[in-house]
Amino acid sequence: MDGNWKIFRAAGLSVFLTGALGSGWAAAAETRCGWIQNPTPGNWWFTDADEAWTIRTQGTPWEPLGMDRIGDISAGDYRKSNGNYGYGCACAEADTSIYEGEPYITAIHSFTQIPLSRCDSDPALAQ
């Protein structure tokens, strides 16, 4: 994918999310539990039994409402996988959406980091 396409796609997603959330449209919040991943600067994903959700991608101009609720996951039960970056296990009350076939978390209402053993022992969560 060339750089211009990425810029247009990011701008489109930003407009979509701003319009959808700013217009009073709201998805029902769902409780989701799974892997919270921060593998590199600015990149965040959440993988549960249903989907691998994009929370934030480095270089895009948007992030979900409530991103600050995640906090420093390295302060909890956490595995380093790339220097200071890594992953943990968590439950979040979140709004989700599919945009151009890609799953996104659009708002985080609550976030609780839980022991890694919960995700490790859940057969529905791929490692």
Side-chain angles (χ1 to χ4, degrees):
M1 203 184 292
D2 76 11
N4 289 336
W5 172 248
K6 288 179 186 176
I7 291 169
F8 291 129
R9 183 164 189 239
L13 178 61
S14 180
V15 168
F16 165 77
L17 292 174
T18 301
L21 296 172
S23 68
W25 173 85
E30 302 171 306
T31 299
R32 298 188 167 276
C33 296
W35 296 110
I36 180 75
Q37 303 155 44
N38 176 218
T40 55
N43 293 307
W44 289 87
W45 292 281
F46 191 85
T47 304
D48 63 16
D50 296 327
E51 197 67 68
W53 304 94
T54 298
I55 299 174
R56 188 169 192 280
T57 304
Q58 183 179 30
T60 58
W62 70 274
E63 66 181 36
L65 300 173
M67 180 73 189
D68 57 321
R69 288 187 172 93
I70 293 176
D72 178 7
I73 64 172
S74 69
D77 200 4
Y78 173 79
R79 285 192 189 116
K80 287 185 178 184
S81 60
N82 180 25
N84 292 328
Y85 299 94
Y87 61 96
C89 187
C91 290
E93 185 82 13
D95 296 342
T96 60
S97 184
I98 306 293
Y99 177 73
E100 293 185 350
E102 298 292 324
Y104 290 91
I105 289 181
T106 57
I108 301 165
H109 302 286
S110 68
F111 180 89
T112 304
Q113 199 163 343
I114 57 179
L116 290 168
S117 60
R118 293 258 314 265
C119 286
D120 283 335
S121 64
D122 187 339
L125 296 174
Q127 293 273 342

